[in-house]
Amino acid sequence: MAAPFDVTIRGGRIATDRETLQADIGVRDGVIVAIDSRLPPAARDIDAAGRWVLPGGIDSHVHIEQLSGMGRMCADDFYSGTVSAAFGGTTTIIPFAAQHRGKRIPDVVADYARRAREKAVIDYGFHLILADPDEEALTQHLPQAIRDGISSFKVYMTYDALKLDDYQLLDVLALAGREGALVMIHAENHDMIRWIAQRLLERGHTAPKFHAVAHDAIAETEASHRAIALSRLVDVPVLLVHVAGAETVQLVRSAQRLGSKVYAESCPQYLFLTADDLDLPGVEGAKFCCSPPPRDARSQEAVWAGLKDGTLGLYSSDHAPYRFDASGKLPRGEATTFKEMANGVPGIELRLPLLFSEGVQQGRITINEFVALTATNHARMYGLSHCKGNLAVGLDADLALWNPDREVTVSAGMLHDNVGYTPYEGRRLRGWPELVMSRGRVVVEGDRLLAARGSGRYIARRSPEATLPAAGTPPASRLPAMLGLQGKAWPTL
Ligand code: URP
Ligand code: ZN
Ligand code: ZN
């Protein structure tokens, strides 16, 4: 008789977002079909004794093979980016299909879809970056993209080439509310940053450390507050991405308690780096420049607290890989000013090991919170929980076997991205994903990649299911009813 499973993962400690248990996992046709103690032998048995068996990570904020607002191309394409993700225990990514002004959304989507189809080794969806929400985009192209499974879009409140004004943001929010999509907001006050930067440059302050001065925490908090106000005005949820500062964490927590439908994400760079890391000789600090910038020890603690108490429901990498040369960070070599450096840091491969080591192993978060922050909440927020984000019968067999005792000293040379440096060089981490499975296929085993180029699949996402932190009583706003803005119902939190 044929074995009932293609693969059995035997004897591991399984963690979901809610519980921890000692059990075997049976996989057939790429799907988890049994979780039980002592399953029968399969065609392949994987010994997970002494290992954590965790859902594969979902990284819902990554820039891959993307042209930035400043016109710089990412260092990672869909091959190196997904290989690097897989080696770090991530089995699904949601990169951006980035619209630049004057470009038609269907063309943008088709272009990114073709490139990812040819190269990705793990599964992926797409968000849209929306730089030009004109009438055709709002009435035809965005609704069609949502029907095609692109149920979230990112908008920017800063960057000359991408910035939307408040009127446009309201248009996008209203559309998202009608169609059941999620708006992700890069919240920084453009004019504050521009005004400070101009004065710094006039005084000859060009070094990377001045990037953190120009992108003041008040610019982040002001824009975040405005984004929340716009969302409340039309009663449509927003997700603030890459929250960096202590004040913004506090703002989000207060807004959630008052009933605002605001969700928030943070990233490794806000837990493990500070603005001091930008203060290096010459242009070396450019390796740490991202927007918003890493801030201070108080903000790091606030981000940890926000991840722990659910204020920040998502932990993503914001992998924005730029090489330390003219193609990315240094268009004018040593003469490059902080205004000219590509913004962004790499992190797709180290996102999970950093949080596992410094969060779970140090007792800051539980293993179940780790799962929620790195996988389950992303699936819920981005309409993937029908197939991904947890370990349960019926879901894709996307998982990683973590050796909690493996000690690793981080170096750029051990990573699989195409960046050439890491902001986390020399850090000692404890815990590492040693076997990674995507839809039942072992894609990484030890230091071997077993997945073929192009074997990842596009996942059409559903509408978000916002089931993150509990909110209070929503403030009454009569405006949505008066303007006929009511959209799809969002579940009570
Ligand atoms: O500095 C960053 N985060 N660059 C990537 C683009 C973005 O805003 O997420
Ligand atoms: Zn951003
Ligand atoms: Zn980003």
Side-chain angles (χ1 to χ4, degrees), residues 37 51 83 85 91 174 203 248 265 283 294 298 302 312 317 334 353 441 446 465 479 483 492:
S37 53
R51 302 289 179 264
V83 168
T91 50
R203 286 161 179 74
T248 308
E265 168 209 79
V283 287
R298 180 172 147 260
L312 308 169
S317 69
E334 291 282 322
R441 312 169 291 148
E465 307 153 40
L479 192 67
L483 300 182
T492 311

Short mmCIF file of all heavy atoms in Angstrom, two decimals, residues 37 51 83 85 91 174 203 248 265 283 294 298 302 312 317 334 353 441 446 465 479 483 492:
data_model
loop_
_atom_site.label_atom_id
_atom_site.label_comp_id
_atom_site.label_asym_id
_atom_site.label_seq_id
_atom_site.Cartn_x
_atom_site.Cartn_y
_atom_site.Cartn_z
N SER A 37 0.26 12.84 16.96
CA SER A 37 1.41 12.12 17.51
C SER A 37 1.53 10.79 16.77
O SER A 37 0.53 10.16 16.42
CB SER A 37 1.21 11.90 19.01
OG SER A 37 -0.04 11.30 19.22
N ARG A 51 14.24 20.05 17.27
CA ARG A 51 14.04 21.24 16.42
C ARG A 51 12.68 21.85 16.69
O ARG A 51 11.71 21.16 16.99
CB ARG A 51 14.09 20.85 14.92
CG ARG A 51 15.38 20.18 14.50
CD ARG A 51 16.53 21.19 14.48
NE ARG A 51 17.79 20.57 14.10
CZ ARG A 51 18.71 20.13 14.94
NH1 ARG A 51 18.51 20.22 16.25
NH2 ARG A 51 19.84 19.60 14.51
N VAL A 83 15.88 33.40 -3.09
CA VAL A 83 16.84 32.43 -2.53
C VAL A 83 17.26 32.91 -1.14
O VAL A 83 17.28 32.14 -0.17
CB VAL A 83 18.06 32.27 -3.46
CG1 VAL A 83 19.18 31.50 -2.77
CG2 VAL A 83 17.66 31.56 -4.76
N ALA A 85 15.67 34.88 0.87
CA ALA A 85 14.52 34.74 1.79
C ALA A 85 14.43 33.31 2.30
O ALA A 85 14.29 33.07 3.50
CB ALA A 85 13.23 35.13 1.07
N THR A 91 9.11 31.69 3.45
CA THR A 91 8.60 30.90 2.34
C THR A 91 7.62 31.66 1.44
O THR A 91 7.20 31.14 0.42
CB THR A 91 7.93 29.61 2.85
OG1 THR A 91 7.00 29.98 3.88
CG2 THR A 91 8.96 28.65 3.43
N ALA A 174 -10.70 55.93 -0.04
CA ALA A 174 -12.12 55.69 -0.36
C ALA A 174 -12.27 54.50 -1.30
O ALA A 174 -13.13 53.64 -1.13
CB ALA A 174 -12.72 56.95 -0.98
N ARG A 203 24.93 74.19 4.95
CA ARG A 203 26.02 74.31 5.95
C ARG A 203 27.12 73.28 5.72
O ARG A 203 28.00 73.11 6.57
CB ARG A 203 25.42 74.16 7.36
CG ARG A 203 24.65 75.40 7.80
CD ARG A 203 23.69 75.10 8.94
NE ARG A 203 22.99 76.33 9.36
CZ ARG A 203 22.01 76.92 8.68
NH1 ARG A 203 21.60 76.41 7.52
NH2 ARG A 203 21.44 78.03 9.13
N THR A 248 5.78 57.48 17.61
CA THR A 248 4.82 56.92 16.66
C THR A 248 4.19 55.65 17.22
O THR A 248 2.99 55.41 17.05
CB THR A 248 5.48 56.64 15.29
OG1 THR A 248 6.15 57.83 14.86
CG2 THR A 248 4.46 56.23 14.25
N GLU A 265 3.42 48.20 11.32
CA GLU A 265 4.51 47.25 11.06
C GLU A 265 5.81 47.87 11.56
O GLU A 265 5.99 49.08 11.49
CB GLU A 265 4.56 47.05 9.54
CG GLU A 265 5.78 46.33 9.03
CD GLU A 265 6.11 46.77 7.60
OE1 GLU A 265 6.72 47.86 7.42
OE2 GLU A 265 5.79 46.02 6.68
N VAL A 283 31.72 57.77 3.76
CA VAL A 283 30.33 57.48 3.40
C VAL A 283 29.89 56.10 3.89
O VAL A 283 28.82 55.61 3.51
CB VAL A 283 30.12 57.59 1.86
CG1 VAL A 283 30.15 59.04 1.42
CG2 VAL A 283 31.15 56.77 1.10
N PRO A 294 16.86 54.49 11.52
CA PRO A 294 16.90 53.95 12.89
C PRO A 294 17.07 55.12 13.85
O PRO A 294 17.71 56.11 13.50
CB PRO A 294 18.14 53.07 12.90
CG PRO A 294 18.56 52.91 11.49
CD PRO A 294 18.00 54.05 10.72
N ARG A 298 15.70 54.35 23.18
CA ARG A 298 14.32 54.48 23.68
C ARG A 298 13.33 53.99 22.61
O ARG A 298 12.36 53.30 22.91
CB ARG A 298 14.06 55.94 24.04
CG ARG A 298 12.68 56.19 24.57
CD ARG A 298 12.53 57.63 25.09
NE ARG A 298 11.17 58.08 24.87
CZ ARG A 298 10.79 58.86 23.87
NH1 ARG A 298 11.67 59.30 23.00
NH2 ARG A 298 9.53 59.21 23.73
N ALA A 302 10.66 50.92 22.61
CA ALA A 302 9.24 51.14 22.28
C ALA A 302 8.79 50.17 21.18
O ALA A 302 7.65 49.67 21.21
CB ALA A 302 9.03 52.58 21.85
N LEU A 312 2.11 46.88 17.26
CA LEU A 312 2.77 46.62 15.97
C LEU A 312 2.53 45.14 15.66
O LEU A 312 3.17 44.28 16.26
CB LEU A 312 4.26 46.92 16.05
CG LEU A 312 4.65 48.31 16.60
CD1 LEU A 312 6.15 48.38 16.88
CD2 LEU A 312 4.24 49.39 15.60
N SER A 317 10.80 42.82 6.79
CA SER A 317 12.20 43.26 6.65
C SER A 317 12.34 44.65 6.05
O SER A 317 13.32 45.33 6.29
CB SER A 317 13.00 42.26 5.80
OG SER A 317 12.56 42.30 4.46
N GLU A 334 32.55 58.90 -3.23
CA GLU A 334 32.79 59.50 -1.91
C GLU A 334 32.13 60.88 -1.77
O GLU A 334 31.93 61.37 -0.66
CB GLU A 334 34.31 59.64 -1.67
CG GLU A 334 35.04 58.32 -1.49
CD GLU A 334 34.86 57.73 -0.09
OE1 GLU A 334 34.84 58.50 0.87
OE2 GLU A 334 34.72 56.50 0.00
N PRO A 353 16.12 35.14 11.82
CA PRO A 353 17.17 34.79 12.81
C PRO A 353 17.40 35.89 13.84
O PRO A 353 17.63 35.59 15.01
CB PRO A 353 18.40 34.56 11.93
CG PRO A 353 17.84 34.09 10.62
CD PRO A 353 16.57 34.87 10.44
N ARG A 441 7.87 20.91 -0.75
CA ARG A 441 9.20 20.68 -1.36
C ARG A 441 10.25 21.21 -0.40
O ARG A 441 10.12 22.34 0.07
CB ARG A 441 9.39 21.50 -2.65
CG ARG A 441 8.32 21.48 -3.66
CD ARG A 441 8.59 22.57 -4.72
NE ARG A 441 8.43 23.91 -4.19
CZ ARG A 441 9.12 24.97 -4.58
NH1 ARG A 441 10.05 24.87 -5.51
NH2 ARG A 441 8.89 26.16 -4.06
N GLY A 446 20.33 22.64 5.05
CA GLY A 446 21.70 23.04 5.41
C GLY A 446 22.13 24.20 4.54
O GLY A 446 21.45 25.21 4.43
N GLU A 465 -8.01 40.33 6.20
CA GLU A 465 -8.85 40.03 7.36
C GLU A 465 -8.16 40.68 8.53
O GLU A 465 -7.21 40.13 9.06
CB GLU A 465 -8.91 38.54 7.65
CG GLU A 465 -9.30 37.69 6.49
CD GLU A 465 -8.70 36.31 6.68
OE1 GLU A 465 -8.70 35.79 7.81
OE2 GLU A 465 -8.22 35.77 5.68
N LEU A 479 -19.67 61.10 8.06
CA LEU A 479 -19.25 61.44 6.70
C LEU A 479 -19.35 60.27 5.72
O LEU A 479 -19.88 60.44 4.62
CB LEU A 479 -17.82 61.99 6.73
CG LEU A 479 -17.36 62.65 5.44
CD1 LEU A 479 -18.14 63.92 5.16
CD2 LEU A 479 -15.88 62.96 5.52
N LEU A 483 -21.54 60.45 2.23
CA LEU A 483 -20.90 60.42 0.91
C LEU A 483 -21.01 59.05 0.23
O LEU A 483 -20.40 58.82 -0.80
CB LEU A 483 -19.41 60.79 1.06
CG LEU A 483 -19.12 62.18 1.64
CD1 LEU A 483 -17.63 62.45 1.68
CD2 LEU A 483 -19.82 63.27 0.83
N THR A 492 -14.91 42.80 13.38
CA THR A 492 -14.66 43.48 14.64
C THR A 492 -13.35 42.97 15.20
O THR A 492 -13.05 41.78 15.13
CB THR A 492 -15.78 43.16 15.64
OG1 THR A 492 -17.00 43.37 14.96
CG2 THR A 492 -15.71 44.06 16.84
#
